[in-house]
Amino acid sequence: MNQSEKLLELDKILKNAASYAVLGESREMLENFTPVHDLAAVRALLRATGEAVHLLFTLGVGRVEFFPPPGDLFERAEKGSALSCRELLDAARMLRSVRVLHDSVRALSDGLPYFDDLVSRLYFDKALEEDIGQKIVSEDAIADTASDRLYSLRREIRLLGERIRARLSSYLTGDEKRYLQDGIVTVRGDRFVIPVKAEYKRSVRGFVHDRSASGATVFIEPEEVLEMNNELRDLTIDEKEEEERILKDLSLRLGRQRGRLEPSLALVAEADTFFARAEYAYRTKSVEPAINDRGIVEIVRGRHPLLETSSAVPVSVSVGEKCRFLLISGANTGGKTVTLKMCGLFCLMAACGLFVPAAEGTRLSVGEIFCDVGDSQSIEENLSTFSSHVLRLKGILAEAGEGAFVLIDEPGGGTDPEEGQALARAVLSALLKRGCRGIVTTHYSALKEFAHETEGLENGSMEFDAEDFRPLYRLKMGAPGSSNALAICTRLGLSPSVVEEARGYLSEGARTFERTLRAAEESRVRADALRREAEETLKTWQEKSAELEKEEERFRKEREKFLAASKAEARRIVAERTAAAEELLSEMEALFEKEQLTERDLIAARTIKNTMERGTMSEEEAPVRALPVQFDKLREGDLVFVGSLGREGNVLSVNPKRRTAEVQAGAIRVKVGAGDLFTAKGGAPEKKVTVSRDITPRTEVPTELNLIGMTTEEMVPELEKFLDSAVLANHTVVRIVHGMGTGKLRAAVHDLLRGDRRVESFRLGKYGEGESGVTIVTLR
């Protein structure tokens, strides 16, 4: 890792990313990864990381399965050594890890060139993996079924052991029981023995194999089980040999595949590094940057990855396209150095195939990065701060060429300010001539003026809140910033008298320049605050305006629907009244056709007349308005209305006792009771009206109208009536079947629909809907 990468702390980023790797080899690979500066190679790295992100967080493919480092396992297996059970189980885990990666990517591949190519080169042996899993049951045990011979040997060993225990158990229950220390059968040196008290060791015939630590117990193998123990020992040796043979056979199979398995394990480790990069991108909310090799760096809302996400203030930077060098000034502790290091670090991260914590639209350069940041004075090498900076600048000027991205933190520092700013200006000029791009931080006023006057340089400043004396950690492009050193001293608690005295030592020009910069910065901060407030207000009003427009459109559609429904209802009422009128006219015509009218006919005619005068009575209409006469005040000659006759007449006489009156109504002279007399003014008398409602269920309004066989003239009223009914029934989509034919009927239907305000839209039917023989109509 070169000096610039160390200064920008790339090693910490790589270590953080490597912590998400599953395999130890992968972690080591990623921690020691060297940035690539070839454009095509970097794009390939980022594409691979993008594919890993897609696999992990879109397709849900799991991570690489862990397996221990193989070490010299394959080498020993290839040479014929028998691996242990544990080593073979580790080998099976390696085989499984390769197979799982291969199968999962193959099954879910979604056009992923890198991973498709990688898994196509993987080799695994599923049969060997399964054999190891079936034959090796633990790190120190082989399954009985690993071979037929092993199964048979172990069965014989178990049966013989049971026979020996059964014979020795007679010692535990017979006369010899008194000689035994404990009532158990035990094993010493793979031979079954019984524990005998030391004083009785000569009472039991057999061979002494061991003695307890206290000497009170000796372990004797009785003579009668000697041969059986010998046979058991032979079987055990055969068992060990068979186990060794099984282990050696599996090891040889593994060793023969070393040449294909080792490259596959390396590919799995490589894939694991990209899964680790993907996990790091997800954890840090990073995005894939666009890449160039022209020194252009444009970061959108970037956050330094070593800062806490909750406290980091996003910074946007643009350099290398409109301006070749950005000169950042502003207050101490304002974030100049962090911003500078972030730009260089992002470029190095991209060159390592890592996504960066920024927003979409971020562009980075993958050219060489040169950096002079921090204080590297060395007592051992007799280097002062200034000397160390000069040596770095010397290296940068010697190596940086066109397309290089150069980062210099406060050039010319550590020496006389006059000479320091002159040196900084000369270094910047030299880098511009070489075609370099980059970022420089400074407090020098002369350097700020130089950036303002020189083409290819642009000032930028870290914003500062002059009221609270605190940095805002936001980069403002286009204008230099004040250092605000004395204001920061006040905030940090330095004696006000000392600060004020220091202010008095400033030259008039310096004070004027700082005041001008501070005032400009304050104005810019206020203007930005007002602009943001105005933008928020505008956004709020735009949202409200959009909501009002939606509401207005909704009301307009409701109004049109209501008008259409009202129109349809009006047509229905007119049709009903017309039908009633036609019925009355028919009755009148029937009366006129008679040569001689009976009294019944006269009453019918009078009823028709009254009905026509009042209009057709309906359940919604109010009762008639005439009032009963005050009979006590009725006099001869009064004009009254006779309800039974339905006409007016003059009172001829009044009989108060009978409460009757004689009335002359035209040619008719009748006696009428008081209840049938009404005031003549105000129209017909109030009559008791019986209101009935038709509760017969109405026929459901259909959603389809068939016009086939009709002429254009016949179609119009039918379609009008159908649309009225559909609107009243709140149908939103209806079908009109007109057939294909010559197309004349279809054209007439479309003309009528096009001019009808109740129609939102219409179209011909699709396949399965009737195609051009049907029109689908959407109603408002």
Side-chain angles (χ1 to χ4, degrees), residues 646-667:
R647 61 187 299 178
E648 294 176 348
N650 294 315
V651 177
L652 298 178
S653 63
V654 178
N655 188 339
K657 291 182 179 181
R658 294 181 178 271
R659 293 186 65 78
T660 61
E662 190 175 7
V663 179
Q664 181 75 42

Side-chain angles (χ1 to χ4, degrees), residues 9 28 87 121 151 190 257 271 346 351 409 446 451 505 535 546 572 588 647 650 701 753:
E9 301 177 288
E28 187 176 348
E87 289 173 328
R121 292 181 283 143
Y151 180 83
D190 296 333
Q257 302 181 59
F346 275 16
D409 188 25
Y505 292 145
E535 288 175 352
R572 184 186 66 79
M588 291 175 65
R647 61 187 299 178
N650 294 315
V701 177
L753 294 175

Side-chain angles (χ1 to χ4, degrees), residues 227-243:
E227 288 302 322
M228 287 190 289
N229 269 332
N230 287 339
E231 185 180 353
L232 181 64
R233 180 62 183 267
D234 289 342
L235 290 173
T236 303
I237 292 172
D238 291 343
E239 177 193 22
K240 296 296 181 186
E241 289 177 352
E242 180 62 15
E243 288 178 348

Side-chain angles (χ1 to χ4, degrees), residues 457-610:
L457 293 180
E458 184 174 356
N459 276 301
S461 62
M462 303 306 296
E463 294 187 357
F464 185 82
D465 190 337
E467 293 182 1
D468 296 335
F469 299 113
R470 63 181 181 86
L472 299 176
Y473 306 108
R474 293 196 299 261
L475 177 63
K476 186 69 178 180
M477 304 288 291
S482 171
S483 296
N484 291 296
L486 298 181
I488 292 174
C489 289
T490 301
R491 182 172 68 88
L492 295 176
L494 192 63
S495 172
S497 59
V498 173
V499 174
E500 197 57 37
E501 184 176 350
R503 204 181 303 277
Y505 292 145
L506 291 173
S507 66
E508 184 60 33
R511 285 199 295 269
T512 302
F513 184 76
E514 286 298 317
R515 281 197 300 269
T516 302
L517 280 182
R518 193 178 300 111
E521 195 168 337
E522 291 173 2
S523 299
R524 185 175 67 248
V525 171
R526 286 195 298 271
D528 285 346
L530 290 172
R531 177 181 54 78
R532 287 192 293 271
E533 185 178 346
E535 288 175 352
E536 290 175 2
T537 303
L538 178 61
K539 183 179 179 182
T540 301
W541 281 107
Q542 285 176 340
E543 290 174 354
K544 289 183 177 179
S545 178
E547 290 177 4
L548 287 173
E549 287 178 2
K550 289 180 181 177
E551 194 70 12
E552 183 180 358
E553 179 65 16
R554 187 176 68 82
F555 279 131
R556 184 186 66 79
K557 289 184 177 180
E558 288 289 335
R559 178 176 174 275
E560 290 180 355
K561 193 169 183 179
F562 175 75
L563 290 175
S566 300
K567 183 178 177 183
E569 181 65 13
R571 286 178 179 171
R572 184 186 66 79
I573 293 171
V574 169
E576 289 179 356
R577 297 293 175 86
T578 302
E582 289 176 352
E583 186 178 350
L584 291 174
L585 289 173
S586 298
E587 292 177 5
M588 291 175 65
E589 288 174 358
L591 291 174
F592 290 152
E593 290 175 357
K594 292 185 178 182
E595 294 180 0
Q596 187 174 359
L597 297 177
T598 65
E599 185 176 353
R600 185 174 181 179
D601 292 335
L602 289 174
I603 294 173
R606 194 179 304 120
T607 303
I608 293 172
K609 176 178 179 295
N610 292 337

